[in-house]
Amino acid sequence: MSSHSKRSEKKVTTQILREMKTRGEKIACLTAYDCTMASLVDAAGVDVILVGDSVAMVVQGLDTTVTVTLDHMLYHAALVRRGVERALVVGDLPFMSYQVNSDEALRNAGRMIKEAGVEAIKVEGGEVACEAVRRMVRVGIPVMGHLGLTPQSIHSFGTYKVRARDQEEADTLLRDAVLLEEAGAFAIVIEKVPAEVAKKVAAAVDVPVIGIGAGPHVDGQILVSHDMLGLYTRFQPRFVRRYANVADDMQDAFSRYRADVRSMEFPSPEESY
Ligand code: KIV
């Protein structure tokens, strides 16, 4: 049982996140991909739960996020939604579900809201995404942007290294953040950029800027739950702080179970009918 009573707190909305930025109160965000994990994250008082397309890597066992489909995302988002009472639930739109044209983007964002029941969607990209963002916002779909290292573009980046280290890319990032805010985005994730660049972005826009590998001078932080739990161990980016070693605990539990089955220590008379 969590020490945090989520029932005692108000449901998180995009307006509340904006107020938190104004008050200088940091926003805690994590990913989740299923109901059980989502309910634990929610009970801990985390403000935003992102059903990230990182599901491709940490659940589906793939090397990138680019192949995950809209149907996969709808499935996982619906599971997460079922487990959450307080946090704002944001569903990632996967690669090529919003880039072809803004009609398709709008239709797919609408499916996330209507079929999965999420309260907001996330798209990657700056200026290029703005037309779609504007149309979604106009019909009442809250949109979170995502700049910096945008994993859906990994094949054009060629590497997961830090972005916006040079002035030109830092300037573009700042401009994209302003354009996303003008298009109506309620928050912007910035991933793996120097802390000083992220600081300038957070100061330049009124909407909350949520960092992942973007240093401390932003309005909130997000991590992939499987990374911070030490559950996904294929690699660990420098920006991940591990709060547990769940993979070790699980491995140990599975091994002890196997040994107990082999030795007939399990089940005991008390565990039998
Ligand atoms: O897919 C994801 O989990 C994300 C976060 C890393 C921001 O986009």
Side-chain angles (χ1 to χ4, degrees):
M1 189 67 182
S2 161
S3 57
H4 186 93
S5 170
K6 63 185 175 183
R7 283 169 215 284
S8 66
E9 288 190 38
K10 268 199 343 211
K11 175 89 184 87
V12 179
T13 61
T14 58
Q15 292 77 10
I16 284 181
L17 297 177
R18 180 85 165 231
E19 288 161 21
M20 287 174 78
K21 172 165 180 151
T22 308
R23 289 196 298 268
E25 213 176 295
K26 300 292 180 187
I27 300 164
C29 317
L30 282 173
T31 64
Y33 316 100
D34 64 60
C35 181
T36 304
M37 181 81 88
S39 68
L40 293 170
V41 173
D42 191 41
V46 167
D47 304 300
V48 176
I49 298 182
L50 171 70
V51 190
D53 60 2
S54 50
V55 69
M57 299 172 83
V58 302
V59 174
Q60 297 180 335
L62 297 165
D63 287 334
T64 74
T65 62
V66 297
T67 52
V68 71
T69 67
L70 181 61
D71 284 341
H72 295 153
M73 294 308 301
L74 288 167
Y75 172 74
H76 287 282
L79 304 187
V80 167
R81 190 67 201 87
R82 241 171 262 165
V84 177
E85 289 176 26
R86 175 186 170 269
L88 182 82
V89 180
V90 181
D92 240 348
L93 280 187
F95 184 52
M96 294 316 291
S97 68
Y98 58 95
Q99 288 91 343
V100 174
N101 59 53
S102 63
D103 286 343
E104 206 168 298
L106 188 58
R107 196 170 303 116
N108 290 333
R111 288 191 67 193
M112 266 288 180
I113 302 285
K114 284 175 68 92
E115 294 175 33
V118 300
E119 293 144 343
I121 61 97
K122 177 166 83 59
V123 295
E124 295 185 5
E127 187 175 10
V128 70
C130 280
E131 185 191 336
V133 172
R134 243 188 309 276
R135 290 192 63 193
M136 292 171 196
V137 171
R138 206 178 299 142
V139 299
I141 299 175
V143 182
M144 177 181 259
H146 186 158
L147 298 171
L149 177 65
T150 44
Q152 292 177 9
S153 302
I154 187 58
H155 295 317
S156 68
F157 290 152
T159 156
Y160 284 102
K161 74 175 173 39
V162 178
R163 307 303 311 179
R165 273 205 193 279
D166 63 68
Q167 197 54 49
E168 196 184 337
E169 197 175 328
D171 291 345
T172 305
L173 178 66
L174 189 63
R175 192 177 54 100
D176 279 342
V178 172
L179 290 174
L180 279 172
E181 178 176 51
E182 283 169 6
F186 74 89
I188 301 167
V189 169
I190 44 175
E191 179 164 351
K192 218 170 174 184
V193 304
E196 283 308 307
V197 173
K199 183 180 182 180
K200 285 195 185 123
V201 175
V205 294
D206 290 331
V207 296
V209 170
I210 310 296
I212 172 163
H217 315 295
V218 284
D219 307 304
Q221 301 289 334
I222 184 162
L223 285 176
V224 169
S225 290
H226 287 50
D227 288 340
M228 60 84 80
L229 288 173
L231 179 56
Y232 180 76
T233 54
R234 275 172 67 184
F235 63 86
Q236 184 184 354
R238 169 173 151 183
F239 61 75
V240 172
R241 181 179 295 179
R242 278 211 184 143
Y243 286 84
N245 284 304
V246 170
D248 290 348
D249 290 347
M250 287 175 75
Q251 196 83 72
D252 179 55
F254 297 147
S255 301
R256 287 191 291 114
Y257 166 74
R258 174 182 180 271
D260 286 353
V261 169
R262 290 220 162 180
S263 65
M264 293 184 68
E265 285 287 311
F266 176 80
S268 67
E270 294 74 32
E271 289 157 335
S272 304
Y273 298 97

